[in-house]
Amino acid sequence: MPTSKDVARLAGVSQSTVSYVMSGRRPISEKTRKRVEDAMAQLAFQPNAGARALASRRSQVIGLAIPFVPDLHRGSMMGFISVIAASARQSDYDILLVTDDEGPQGLERVVGQQLVDGLIIMQVEGDDARVPVIRNLPVPSVLIGIPEKHEGLKCIDADFELAGQMCVEELAKLGHETVTLVNWQDAVVRRRVNYVKRFHHGVDKAGAATGAKIIHVPGRATIAGMEKAVANALEQTKGVPAFIAPEAANQDLLVEALNNLGLVLGKDVSVVVNCSDSLAERQRIPLTTIDFEPDQVSRRVVQMIVHDLTEPTSRSHEALELIRPVFKHRKSTIRPRPQR
Amino acid sequence: MPTSKDVARLAGVSQSTVSYVMSGRRPISEKTRKRVEDAMAQLAFQPNAGARALASRRSQVIGLAIPFVPDLHRGSMMGFISVIAASARQSDYDILLVTDDEGPQGLERVVGQQLVDGLIIMQVEGDDARVPVIRNLPVPSVLIGIPEKHEGLKCIDADFELAGQMCVEELAKLGHETVTLVNWQDAVVRRRVNYVKRFHHGVDKAGAATGAKIIHVPGRATIAGMEKAVANALEQTKGVPAFIAPEAANQDLLVEALNNLGLVLGKDVSVVVNCSDSLAERQRIPLTTIDFEPDQVSRRVVQMIVHDLTEPTSRSHEALELIRPVFKHRKSTIRPRPQR
DNA sequence: TTGAAAGCGATACCAG
DNA sequence: CTGGTATCGCTTTCAA
């Protein structure tokens, strides 16, 4: 493999000139630049990453901490990862994976070995063991998800509060007087992921603002449980029922339960789902869907970390960015006829 | 950050001794080893990856070429990735992502920059642009998936031929005389992924061996199309119908189509699916599932590449490893009563 | 069993 | 605008 020395020799310049041609950190005459570039092309030169990292003290690699994910979220996770990797390349960074089962020490390792210049932490939960660790790490990082204590951290997430709000407003505007929120399943709630709370908050807030009555029913993992929950909600419902099912795992069940109770979606009942893995498309069911452009989060997170990595000034100041959700398939919700 | 020099000083030994303690490449007296290890712990020393790579000419990083995946396969893809990353760590390797949208040159780049010691290529298709590239790369690589021309390459994949065979044998053994294979959808077939062909081959072979009649119907993307295909198959069916639906995208549709035609799964008709993203669990539908342990492939692929990377002798000889599928939920297929 | 010292292949400072 | 050279932190001969 040719080295920059070889390039220098062939181009008849010094090694440092070759380096400066690559980095552009000092003016080079058009003539020598051309000679160097030709030599590089001729030798198919590629700079040695290790040597570069050693000398420059930057690896041009970003560590990506991926969570251990239960089946359901895997699809979306994958989307994040590939978009993050692709966007990172656009800024001349590579992505190194840090798996969860190495524990938070994994983060200390890749930073300690100076393998990475910064970190992106995915799926941050309310009380995440990785958070205290990254606080003490000498590299910038950006979190996807918002931990309980996030002072001084850069976080980005979908705006779940707004999502909850929008769901209720949508239904209230159509004329629904009662809206049932099917909660996340217990396993998720117990993980204390912050977004559950935030979604609830948005729902309740919009309920108060619009006057819609909000019924909360727990997320159930079985169809029987779901049917009971739904029946229960229907009893307390005034007018045409409406449901909000933010968790993907519940959506199939809710749809099935409503079917079993003889309610036709988009006709007898409105359903709004969130974060749907394209349930609407997949099953061709009339649902209103509220969702986030996942790529938007991914690209933004890379922007943020790259900014911290390249901006020489201003060490990582706190930041909290929320991505706005959007409606899709919106026509399938119904406008109840006035009930009296 | 402390360097090995600092460790050496603190331990009162030379820098080379520190290095040898870490690598174990030469005997060290118990006494000095202890002194060095203590010093390392005391300083929380971590070796600088760039320097190490530069000096040793090995980065301890494996490049993982991830494909651009359509939604459906994303979940399983994610499983591969995290298991690969975790297993790699067990052998002291890290994983660097190489996205597809950098093209095959992405592979040349990471190898050329000596960022990686070897490559794992995911989702290799029948005629894959990356294959000719890696052939000329000076590092070992392992492919997941089997390209048309694979002489001299190390490949690993699920044994789709055997899977096809097992599906038919299962149904034939139960007494089905006619078996309908619902093919992959056109988009997949056109990509010339090898496994489609291999699955077919297994199905036909087992059909011939068992005497079961095999009907092929094309994979359809719409429910109407699927219903027609199913109806068509039923006309040609003798005895109790049985279906094999290897592609996940078709499975929902097939189940729905059968429902619409009034056929009850596990009672009027047997269905065997393959590569199911746990459709059976998700929908609680009585299906027999044949599947692969995805983790098995992932772990094996890491073993293979690590072997090539550490075995000083024997440069990458060709290899083709097929992972055996297994049945799940098997009881839901039916044993047809003798028809005359 | 250990130490000294010469690289590995870039970067970046100091001169000119 | 360009060249010489010290340096980054570790590995690995060569000598003892």
Side-chain angles (χ1 to χ4, degrees), chain B residues 219-287:
Chain B
R220 305 260 117 240
T222 66
I223 181 65
M226 184 62 83
E227 277 172 10
K228 213 156 70 183
V230 167
N232 194 322
L234 290 177
E235 273 173 28
Q236 305 172 55
T237 293
K238 202 163 73 177
V240 178
F243 289 84
I244 301 176
E247 185 183 25
N250 284 328
Q251 293 162 2
D252 282 314
L253 289 171
L254 174 61
V255 167
E256 190 173 341
L258 291 170
N259 272 342
N260 292 354
L261 294 171
L263 296 175
V264 177
L265 270 68
K267 182 144 168 292
D268 307 321
V269 55
S270 290
V271 174
V272 179
V273 301
N274 160 243
C275 298
S276 137
D277 281 280
S278 62
L279 179 67
E281 283 102 349
R282 209 183 60 216
Q283 309 258 41
R284 299 165 312 289
I285 291 174
L287 294 171

Side-chain angles (χ1 to χ4, degrees), chain A residues 50-305:
Chain A
R52 170 174 281 191
L54 177 57
S56 68
R57 315 181 136 283
R58 337 189 88 243
S59 62
Q60 296 293 117
V61 174
I62 295 169
L64 178 64
I66 58 174
F68 174 77
V69 260
D71 285 1
L72 270 161
H73 289 289
R74 283 192 180 176
S76 58
M77 205 91 291
M78 185 62 214
F80 278 108
I81 293 180
S82 48
V83 175
I84 287 174
S87 334
R89 278 307 305 148
Q90 311 253 319
S91 307
D92 210 40
Y93 280 92
D94 275 290
I95 294 292
L96 188 95
L97 294 181
V98 185
T99 58
D100 213 40
D101 60 34
E102 218 184 326
Q105 305 93 292
L107 302 175
E108 287 173 330
R109 182 180 63 82
V110 293
V111 172
Q113 296 185 163
Q114 291 162 77
L115 258 172
V116 305
D117 297 335
L119 290 169
I120 295 173
I121 317 286
M122 295 182 74
Q123 280 277 317
V124 174
E125 308 194 346
D127 177 18
D128 200 300
R130 298 169 295 181
V131 170
V133 172
I134 60 167
R135 277 215 150 79
N136 293 318
L137 255 24
V139 300
S141 49
V142 176
L143 319 194
I144 303 179
I146 303 179
E148 219 70 66
K149 336 185 132 73
H150 54 268
E151 322 80 53
L153 297 174
K154 272 204 167 51
C155 306
I156 182 171
D157 204 354
D159 192 338
F160 283 93
E161 176 167 346
L162 181 55
Q165 225 173 295
M166 285 168 72
C167 287
V168 173
E169 283 166 359
E170 169 83 358
L171 293 165
K173 200 164 54 190
L174 291 171
H176 291 276
E177 299 168 49
T178 311
V179 171
T180 301
L181 169 60
V182 181
N183 198 2
W184 274 263
Q185 297 190 355
D186 282 352
V188 177
V189 176
R190 252 181 279 109
R191 265 167 48 208
R192 320 210 312 116
V193 280
N194 213 313
Y195 56 75
V196 170
K197 200 177 307 176
R198 288 187 277 138
F199 192 86
H200 281 204
H201 190 235
V203 165
D204 291 335
K205 197 159 97 179
T210 61
K213 175 180 168 197
I214 308 293
I215 303 174
H216 290 260
V217 305
R220 306 258 117 242
T222 66
I223 182 63
M226 184 61 83
E227 277 173 10
K228 215 156 70 184
V230 167
N232 194 323
L234 289 176
E235 271 172 30
Q236 305 172 56
T237 293
K238 201 162 75 177
V240 179
F243 289 84
I244 301 175
E247 186 183 26
N250 283 329
Q251 294 163 0
D252 281 314
L253 288 171
L254 174 62
V255 167
E256 190 174 342
L258 291 171
N259 272 342
N260 293 353
L261 293 171
L263 296 175
V264 177
L265 269 68
K267 180 146 169 292
D268 307 322
V269 55
S270 290
V271 174
V272 179
V273 301
N274 161 243
C275 298
S276 134
D277 281 280
S278 63
L279 180 67
E281 284 101 350
R282 211 184 57 217
Q283 308 258 41
R284 296 164 315 290
I285 291 173
L287 295 171
T288 287
T289 298
I290 190 167
D291 216 333
F292 306 91
E293 298 298 344
D295 296 7
Q296 208 178 327
V297 176
S298 307
R299 274 193 284 264
R300 186 70 190 113
V301 80
V302 171
Q303 273 178 26
M304 289 169 79
I305 188 87

Side-chain angles (χ1 to χ4, degrees), chain A residues 4 15-16 19-20 48 52 55:
Chain A
S4 68
Q15 200 180 4
S16 58
S19 176
Y20 285 117
N48 179 299
R52 170 174 281 191

